Amino acid sequence: MPKYEIILYWSEADKAFIAEVPQLPGCAADGKTNKEALANAEIIIREWLETAKELGRPIPNPRGRLTFA
């Protein structure tokens, strides 16, 4: 599985941990715990990549740590 950066934070509004993948637009997951959010993010990343391939959309190469985050 490619290694994309994941930003993990608590959302008071959602009462959940949010795991966002900045390099993959719209790719985010949540969970009751930080571990659950990260596990869900791995699933969503795979699904995002599969969908992009099926639709013939470009898939960005993982950059690792973002410089502006």
Side-chain angles (χ1 to χ4, degrees), residues 4-57:
Y4 290 96
E5 180 180 44
I6 298 172
I7 298 174
L8 180 67
Y9 61 91
W10 173 256
S11 170
E12 190 61 37
D14 298 313
K15 301 289 190 222
F17 283 92
I18 308 296
E20 292 184 357
V21 187
Q23 263 192 282
L24 306 178
C27 188
D30 66 356
K32 294 178 184 178
T33 66
N34 59 347
K35 289 181 182 181
E36 183 180 348
L38 287 172
N40 291 340
E42 290 182 9
I43 294 166
I44 296 302
I45 290 169
R46 279 194 297 272
E47 291 175 357
W48 193 102
L49 296 172
E50 288 172 10
T51 301
K53 284 179 189 175
E54 289 173 8
L55 298 175
R57 294 187 177 159

